[in-house]
């Protein structure tokens, strides 16, 4: 199975999920929604061959006032407020690297698909006024408890949304991810056996800053119930992740994902 890097779910979710995060007044009465996004990304983190993927998205506020969000390969449940302080569990499906198109990288050890679990904390501010806007910041920590890699992955994400028109919204965000040495060894390391098979030099990475990210998106409210959106998501690999020969010799540290999506709002 080809590996679509795990960030893809988050990227497509910005297209689909932004519909729920962008009503005219950015008030607490954000709609529930279900939608889907389609887009293009690299076959694996650090690669240059591209694939196309389709992923679902959903946002639902329970009768108890808790928020459930599911975007592609990522889901979280908020026990906090819809605005203000937010916190809860998080799950992510990290897809593996197997049978990739690159003939050299395909000789490097396979990486199995795994489930990551952990939690997040964040804060959301919604401003209602002449110029409404929404700001959100979030820190997520997940691990797979050594099933595929050892250690953990920590991500900081920020976002901002504002209206250009009563039915047109724009947004953008910045982020960064830090990973353990065990994570980098699994996804970017080259063992002696890998080197003999592929011809790539042996590489034993440590942990640290894995990537910085940025994105821009636009949303159009087609009707009271339907939204459409488009986005571009940029990742720049950093540190030992970017120094891997998988990246420097066979791929690129600059990763671009783009896509479009639709969502249906419901009560």
């Amino acid at each position: 199975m080809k590996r679509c890097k795990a960030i893809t779910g988050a990227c497509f979710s910005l297209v689909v999920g932004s519909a729920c995060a962008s009503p005219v007044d950015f008030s607490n009465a954000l709609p529930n929604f279900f939608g889907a996004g389609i887009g293009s990304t690299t076959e694996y983190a650090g690669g240059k061959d591209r694939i196309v993927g389709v992923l679902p998205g959903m946002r639902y506020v329970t009768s108890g006032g808790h928020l459930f969000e599911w975007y592609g390969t990522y889901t979280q449940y908020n026990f906090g407020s819809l605005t203000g302080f937010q916190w809860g569990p998080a799950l992510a499906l990290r897809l593996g690297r197997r049978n990739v198109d690159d003939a050299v990288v395909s000789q490097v050890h396979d990486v199995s698909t795994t489930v990551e679990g952990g939690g997040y904390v964040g804060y959301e501010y919604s401003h209602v006024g002449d110029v409404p806007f929404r700001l959100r910041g979030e820190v997520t920590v997940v691990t797979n408890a050594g099933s595929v890699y050892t250690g953990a992955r920590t991500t900081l994400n920020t976002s901002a949304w504002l209206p250009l028109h009563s039915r047109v919204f724009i947004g953008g965000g910045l982020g960064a991810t830090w990973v353990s040495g065990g994570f980098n060894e699994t996804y970017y390391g080259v063992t002696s056996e890998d080197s003999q098979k592929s011809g790539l030099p042996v590489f034993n990475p440590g942990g640290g800053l894995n990537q910085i990210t940025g994105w821009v998106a636009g949303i159009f409210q087609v009707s009271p119930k339907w939204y459409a959106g488009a986005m571009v998501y940029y990742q720049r690999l950093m540190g030992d992740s970017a120094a891997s020969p998988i990246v420097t010799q066979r791929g690129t540290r600059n990763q671009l994902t783009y896509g479009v999506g639709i969502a249906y709002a419901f009560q």
Side-chain angles (χ1 to χ4, degrees):
M1 182 181 72
K2 293 183 178 180
R3 178 184 183 272
C4 174
K5 61 179 181 288
I7 195 67
T8 304
C11 293
F12 292 161
S13 75
L14 294 173
V15 179
V16 179
S18 53
C20 77
S22 305
V24 174
D25 62 2
F26 297 100
S27 69
N28 290 338
L30 304 181
N32 298 321
F33 85 97
F34 184 82
I38 181 171
S40 173
T41 188
T42 53
E43 193 175 14
Y44 54 90
K48 59 183 179 181
D49 295 317
R50 302 193 67 82
I51 59 173
V52 174
V54 177
L55 290 172
M58 182 178 182
R59 177 188 191 273
Y60 180 72
V61 179
T62 69
S63 58
H66 298 303
L67 175 62
F68 170 76
E69 294 177 285
W70 167 41
Y71 304 136
T73 58
Y74 178 81
T75 184
Q76 65 183 36
Y77 190 87
N78 175 28
F79 284 111
S81 303
L82 296 183
T83 58
F85 182 65
Q86 302 176 337
W87 64 277
L91 289 175
L93 180 68
R94 175 159 288 273
L95 304 180
R97 183 185 66 210
R98 188 183 302 271
N99 299 326
V100 298
D101 289 338
D102 189 295
V104 174
V105 178
S106 66
Q107 299 302 310
V108 179
H109 63 273
D110 290 339
V111 180
S112 299
T113 295
T114 188
V115 174
E116 298 172 306
Y120 77 98
V121 294
Y123 190 87
E124 180 173 318
Y125 173 73
S126 294
H127 178 74
V128 179
D130 292 338
V131 182
F133 59 86
R134 183 184 77 96
L135 304 175
R136 187 177 187 179
E138 188 173 285
V139 175
T140 304
V141 180
V142 294
T143 181
N144 77 336
S147 177
V148 171
Y149 67 87
T150 58
R153 180 169 60 90
T154 302
T155 301
L156 168 66
N157 283 313
T158 63
S159 65
W161 282 95
L162 71 157
L164 293 181
H165 182 271
S166 61
R167 297 171 64 185
V168 179
F169 315 93
I170 59 170
L174 297 172
T177 300
W178 291 262
V179 298
S180 63
F183 180 96
N184 270 347
E185 287 175 5
T186 297
Y187 293 97
Y188 299 98
V190 180
T191 66
S192 297
E193 183 179 356
D194 293 336
S195 179
Q196 292 174 3
K197 291 180 179 179
S198 67
L200 295 174
V202 173
F203 184 68
N204 298 307
L209 181 62
N210 166 253
Q211 66 177 8
I212 55 175
T213 62
W215 60 269
V216 293
I219 298 298
F220 176 67
Q221 186 178 9
V222 180
S223 71
K225 293 292 186 180
W226 287 96
Y227 295 80
M231 65 148 301
V232 177
Y233 189 100
Y234 171 74
Q235 299 164 261
R236 182 171 175 84
L237 296 178
M238 305 294 289
D240 282 4
S241 303
S244 169
I246 295 173
V247 178
T248 60
Q249 295 189 24
R250 305 302 304 180
T252 174
R253 68 187 298 182
N254 298 304
Q255 306 280 284
L256 191 66
T257 297
Y258 47 86
V260 295
I262 58 172
Y264 176 79
F266 63 93
Q267 296 299 322

